[in-house]
Amino acid sequence: MNNFIDHVKINVTSGKGGAGSAHLRREKYVDKGGPDGGDGGRGGHIIVRADPNKWTLFHLRFTRHLKAEKGGNGGKQRSTGKDGKDVIIEVPLGTVVNDEHGNFLGEITNIGDEFVVLEGGRGGLGNWHFKTATKQTPRYAQPGEPAKQMDIVFELKILADVGLVGFPNAGKSTLLSVITAAKPKIGDYEFTTLTPNLGIVDYRGFGSFVMADIPGIIEGASDGKGLGIRFLRHIERNAALLFIIPADSEDHKKEYDILLNELEQYNKELLDKDRVLAISKSDMLDEELKALIQKQLPTDLPTVFISSVAQTGLSELKDILWEKLNQEV
């Protein structure tokens, strides 16, 4: 079963507020004790909270409905009813929450983040609030506010420093497996990677950054072709983009332009991110072929020739990425 789930829809209901009490004080030696009905407790909230130990929405995959607890009713002697128990929905960092119409409700990006997505009903006031000089014994109290119900949509956008962008079978998974401890599935056929993979890159023993392998984009991905459109959202949260084009590509410049165009069609703001180009599988190239390929590529784009198998060019690639991630804005 695929454990990577990045889109979940759940119906939630907040708790109904407790009713206020219309109690009148009656004690043996207290004449005309008057109203002493307490307030009702509030209904439980629906709260979304960050959980840094989660990286997917899989734990919510089979959750169809969540309902918070009703608030307790008020009692005598002005005692307030108990607040309803909140429902806490824990989600990974990078989760965006919208309503069923696509309206933004909030997002979780940092450890400790939480917000109320649906408030519980307010508890009703007890009858002692309504006592006046002319109405000494009110025999009524407020009911609690009703519960609220809505559909909320959770959408995960992976938080990573560097996102790998490239056609299927370009060598992205192999690169990730070599420079991180991640163990993505690797094969010599298209769409080997069906879900994003994350890995931590160690930089010269004193630093590190997170790299994400985004499933292969193809021409037309922004129009819904292939797998790319499903995972393009994860690129939005990457600080820098590393384009991977294999050395045996028929036209390196054209392939880069196609990838760039798909990102632009999906979200033009992606073009504002720092970009680095790596020519993978370059162990099959000699210096003359490398120079020929270099002439075809944009001059303002940092380019490095790498081979994950031969482990060449990887230190240079790390240096370039580290500089991009730590440059002053």
Side-chain angles (χ1 to χ4, degrees), residues 129-207:
H129 287 280
F130 305 106
K131 178 181 178 181
T132 66
T134 58
K135 196 170 185 69
Q136 297 284 318
T137 56
R139 299 173 183 273
Y140 55 85
Q142 283 184 334
E145 289 185 347
K148 302 172 186 176
Q149 185 174 357
M150 68 184 300
D151 289 330
I152 55 176
V153 179
F154 297 90
E155 186 178 88
L156 175 61
K157 298 180 180 181
I158 285 179
L159 291 172
D161 299 304
V162 179
L164 300 179
V165 181
F167 285 118
N169 206 28
K172 302 188 301 299
S173 297
T174 304
L175 173 63
L176 191 72
S177 69
V178 170
I179 64 175
T180 76
K183 302 299 180 185
K185 183 178 180 181
I186 300 172
D188 59 353
Y189 51 89
E190 293 190 346
F191 298 116
T192 309
T193 303
L194 298 177
T195 61
N197 291 299
L198 289 176
I200 299 177
V201 181
D202 178 68
Y203 182 70
R204 299 190 181 277
F206 67 85

Side-chain angles (χ1 to χ4, degrees), residues 2-16:
N2 179 10
N3 288 342
F4 184 82
I5 302 295
D6 59 1
H7 190 276
V8 172
K9 182 178 180 180
I10 300 177
N11 180 266
V12 295
T13 303
S14 63
K16 178 182 177 181

Side-chain angles (χ1 to χ4, degrees), residues 97-106:
V97 185
N98 299 313
D99 66 15
E100 60 182 321
H101 304 295
N103 299 314
F104 177 79
L105 300 177

